[in-house]
């Protein structure tokens, strides 16, 4: 049998360890000090200045605490497993987008700009699908510009979508993957 003093020390250590595990479950990790997007929620990891969206079945939304109405969002995208992902914007909440969000996706040889949930807009037709530009390859240089009157998408420096659109109200930005693991780096947000 262990002396009473040693058992107390072991119990105290176990209690501190358990509390630290519980706290880290609820406190979002902080991106590198260089990241223009701040803190994130979702299933991800940070490697230097890169954000890695981990593979999950279905959608994985890695959402920052940055809220924006008009912006330019740029990042280089490389797939580590799978092949569908991109930039997330207009998310309703930084921790739980529910079904309300918009995305610029790369996947299956195409570029897609679309919204889901209450933001799905059949009236104004925000569901644009075009081919990936000839010669474009990983890492894909993605550029998403949202103004008060248009959404402009470029891949590897080639403009592929320029959609007149004024239906967005603003929301949180981040990254998204679908059954894929992806690396986002060289992140710029203005």
């Amino acid at each position: 049998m262990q002396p009473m003093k040693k058992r107390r020390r072991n119990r105290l250590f176990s209690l501190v360890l358990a509390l630290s595990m519980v706290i880290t479950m609820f406190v979002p990790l902080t991106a590198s000090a260089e990241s223009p997007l701040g803190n994130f929620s979702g299933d991800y990891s940070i490697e230097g200045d890169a954000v890695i969206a981990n593979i999950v079945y279905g959608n994985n939304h890695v959402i920052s605490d940055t809220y924006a109405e008009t912006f330019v969002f740029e990042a280089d995208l490389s797939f580590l497993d799978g092949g569908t992902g991109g930039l997330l914007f207009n998310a309703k909440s930084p921790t739980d987008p529910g079904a309300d969000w918009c995305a610029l996706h790369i996947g299956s040889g195409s570029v897609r700009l679309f919204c889901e949930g209450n933001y799905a807009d059949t009236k104004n037709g925000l569901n644009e699908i075009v081919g990936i530009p000839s010669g474009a390859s990983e890492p894909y240089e993605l550029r998403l510009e949202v103004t008060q009157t248009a959404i402009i998408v470029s891949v590897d420096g080639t403009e592929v979508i320029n959609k007149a659109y004024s239906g967005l109200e603003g929301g949180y930005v981040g990254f998204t993957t679908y059954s894929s693991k992806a690396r986002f780096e060289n992140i710029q947000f203005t």
Side-chain angles (χ1 to χ4, degrees), residues 84-97:
T84 302
L87 306 180
L88 179 78
F89 64 105
N90 217 51
K92 189 174 189 175
S93 163
T95 56
D96 180 18

Side-chain angles (χ1 to χ4, degrees), residues 75-79 83 106-107 109 132-133 136-143 155-156 185:
D76 295 347
L77 164 64
S78 300
F79 292 106
I106 297 283
I132 293 176
S137 62
E138 290 186 43
Y140 296 107
E141 296 174 15
L142 303 180
R143 184 175 193 276
V155 177
D156 285 3
E185 54 193 333

Side-chain angles (χ1 to χ4, degrees), residues 21-171:
M21 290 171 62
V22 168
I23 289 170
T24 59
M25 287 175 44
F26 297 104
V27 176
L29 295 174
T30 302
S32 126
E34 301 295 318
S35 175
L37 295 178
N39 297 321
F40 293 95
S41 64
D43 190 352
Y44 72 99
S45 60
I46 301 291
E47 290 182 9
D49 291 336
V51 176
I52 310 298
N54 295 319
I55 192 165
V56 297
Y57 179 75
N59 290 318
N60 179 18
H61 301 305
V62 178
I63 307 171
S64 77
D65 58 5
T66 299
Y67 183 93
E69 294 177 8
T70 61
F71 56 87
V72 175
F73 187 5
E74 298 175 278
D76 295 347
L77 164 64
S78 300
F79 292 106
L80 305 174
D81 192 0
T84 302
L87 306 180
L88 179 78
F89 64 105
N90 217 51
K92 189 174 189 175
S93 163
T95 56
D96 180 18
D100 299 334
W101 49 273
C102 300
L104 157 60
H105 262 193
I106 297 283
S108 303
S110 65
V111 179
R112 182 177 180 210
L113 176 67
F114 66 104
C115 291
E116 289 289 328
N118 292 332
Y119 295 144
D121 187 353
T122 53
K123 179 181 175 187
N124 293 318
L126 190 56
N127 187 22
E128 301 291 312
I129 303 172
V130 298
I132 293 176
S134 176
S137 62
E138 290 186 43
Y140 296 107
E141 296 174 15
L142 303 180
R143 184 175 193 276
L144 172 67
E145 180 177 357
V146 175
T147 70
Q148 292 181 343
T149 59
I151 302 173
I152 303 158
V153 173
S154 298
V155 177
D156 285 3
T158 301
E159 186 177 294
V160 293
I161 297 172
N162 189 331
K163 174 75 175 167
Y165 194 80
S166 60
L168 299 178
E169 299 172 359

Side-chain angles (χ1 to χ4, degrees), residues 13-23:
F13 175 74
S14 296
L15 178 64
V16 169
L17 181 61
L19 287 173
S20 68
M21 290 171 62
V22 168
I23 289 170

